[in-house]
Amino acid sequence: MEVIIILIIALIIDLIISDPDWIPHPVVLIGRLISTLEKYLLKNEDSPLRAKIKGAILVIIVLGLSYYFTHLIVVLSGQLNNYFARLLELFLLSLTLALKGLVDAGKEVYSALKNNDLKLARKKVNLIVGRDCSQSSRQEVIRAVLETLAENSSDGILAPAFYYLLGGLPLAAAYKAVNTMDSMLGYKSDKYLNFGFAAAITDDIFYYLPPRLTAFFMAPASILLQYNFKGSLKTVLNDARKHPSLNAGYPEAAAAGALSLRFGGINYYHGQKSFRAYIGQQNKKFELADILKLNKLIYFSVLLFVITAAAVMALI
């Protein structure tokens, strides 16, 4: 039960201070390592096979170093002082969680739209999505922020929490490394199609369970909030696999169904028009209040996850 208590306190720390500016975020450090290795490994003249092998080498190095150094920090701090070790673990674990950062990002878009500042809302949403929203309508801006809030509730909150409970802080750090590699190298562009192959596959493996767990907890959370429970469950079963991502469709489907909305449609990437399959039923138009409703759904989903994890550990 000690790990549950630590996770709860870490979530509270994240809600209070989020990511302080005075310390380099671990994801930033991991990103620098990835960029450095890419600079030395990736060459234009590499064959597809050679590029895939080099990409796999990068994954092994980044994953190994992330796990090893975090494990080393845990061990060395424990040798110095147990209280110091616990405080350090709490702080570092809070940095792997993005609960406050995620809901705050949604609130910033909400505030801009509430003040009828569509230009600012587009700028804010462009900071948290991969698509181009610089010309998006008010409705499309709301859809974009809802989709990214739903997806990131899994990879930014429940996934690191899940891996912490499974293997401690080193495994949570390893997951963040995998997630960062995928975000930097997993694009299916000419440059990264082969070099980023191993990063994308590794992310698919690590990220298989967390989004399904997120959807599993979003559905009952929708009951507590008097949202559309049946819609959430039905959308997950019918539409989750329509998403181009192997995993991201699950939290998006759960959220879309709970809010009685339809995600997907036309998006723009680097000026290119792209259609993403619809997820959910278009029972109503996107409303500004949906952003706050989804934030509540995220809070309650995390709460149910922690309660369930505590119950499971009490039985083991």
Side-chain angles (χ1 to χ4, degrees):
M1 290 297 290
E2 183 181 358
V3 289
I4 291 291
I5 295 172
I6 291 174
L7 176 60
I8 292 171
I9 298 173
L11 284 166
I12 294 171
I13 292 173
D14 174 60
L15 286 171
I16 295 172
I17 65 172
S18 191
D19 300 328
D21 296 332
W22 49 269
I23 184 171
H25 197 282
V27 169
V28 175
L29 299 177
I30 292 169
R32 290 175 182 171
L33 174 62
I34 294 168
S35 296
T36 301
L37 290 171
E38 178 188 341
K39 178 181 176 181
Y40 284 100
L41 289 172
L42 182 59
K43 305 297 179 184
N44 291 331
E45 62 271 17
D46 286 338
S47 66
L49 178 59
R50 188 177 181 85
K52 284 184 178 180
I53 292 172
K54 286 185 174 182
I57 292 171
L58 183 146
V59 168
I60 292 170
I61 293 174
V62 173
L63 194 56
L65 289 178
S66 299
Y67 186 94
Y68 172 75
F69 276 111
T70 307
H71 174 73
L72 193 62
I73 289 171
V74 171
V75 171
L76 292 178
S77 61
Q79 291 176 352
L80 289 174
N81 183 281
N82 282 334
Y83 293 108
F84 171 73
R86 285 290 174 261
L87 288 173
L88 184 61
E89 182 176 0
L90 280 169
F91 179 67
L92 292 177
L93 178 59
S94 73
L95 293 179
T96 70
L97 304 167
L99 180 54
K100 179 175 173 56
L102 184 62
V103 297
D104 281 354
K107 287 178 181 177
E108 288 183 5
V109 179
Y110 172 87
S111 297
L113 290 174
K114 188 177 181 181
N115 293 324
N116 294 314
D117 192 341
L118 183 56
K119 184 177 180 180
L120 178 60
R122 289 166 174 166
K123 180 186 286 188
K124 292 292 184 182
V125 81
N126 268 333
L127 296 174
I128 57 174
V129 299
R131 73 191 73 166
D132 179 14
C133 294
S134 58
Q135 302 298 321
S136 296
S137 66
R138 181 184 177 91
Q139 285 277 297
E140 289 303 304
V141 167
I142 296 174
R143 175 171 73 87
V145 72
L146 290 174
E147 288 174 352
T148 197
L149 286 176
E151 180 179 351
N152 284 291
S153 65
S154 178
D155 63 25
I157 307 168
L158 260 67
F162 169 76
Y163 278 109
Y164 171 73
L165 295 178
L166 197 64
L169 187 61
L171 195 56
Y175 167 75
K176 294 300 290 187
V178 170
N179 187 243
T180 306
M181 283 188 286
D182 181 64
S183 66
M184 293 179 66
L185 308 175
Y187 295 103
K188 293 182 179 179
S189 62
D190 291 340
K191 181 179 181 180
Y192 294 119
L193 182 62
N194 295 302
F195 187 72
F197 179 78
I201 292 297
T202 305
D203 184 73
D204 284 343
I205 294 170
F206 265 76
Y207 195 49
Y208 185 82
L209 280 177
R212 288 158 178 79
L213 285 174
T214 304
F216 176 82
F217 289 110
M218 273 189 176
S222 67
I223 299 176
L224 299 176
L225 291 166
Q226 297 184 329
Y227 294 171
N228 189 348
F229 166 70
K230 289 183 179 179
S232 181
L233 198 60
K234 181 179 179 181
T235 306
V236 169
L237 294 174
N238 293 341
D239 297 343
R241 288 179 293 275
K242 294 179 181 177
H243 197 284
S245 166
L246 175 66
N247 302 312
Y250 287 87
E252 286 196 26
L259 299 175
S260 300
L261 296 170
R262 186 177 72 180
F263 290 170
I266 300 296
N267 297 330
Y268 289 88
Y269 298 91
H270 308 292
Q272 298 296 314
K273 189 175 181 180
S274 174
F275 176 78
R276 179 169 289 184
Y278 290 121
I279 293 177
Q281 302 299 312
Q282 193 171 16
N283 294 328
K284 67 183 186 71
K285 290 185 177 181
F286 293 100
E287 299 173 357
L288 189 55
D290 290 328
I291 298 174
L292 299 184
K293 288 178 70 175
L294 182 50
N295 278 348
K296 288 182 182 178
L297 186 63
I298 292 170
Y299 280 129
F300 273 73
S301 300
V302 173
L303 177 62
L304 288 178
F305 169 77
V306 172
I307 291 172
T308 303
V312 169
M313 288 194 171
L315 294 173
I316 295 177

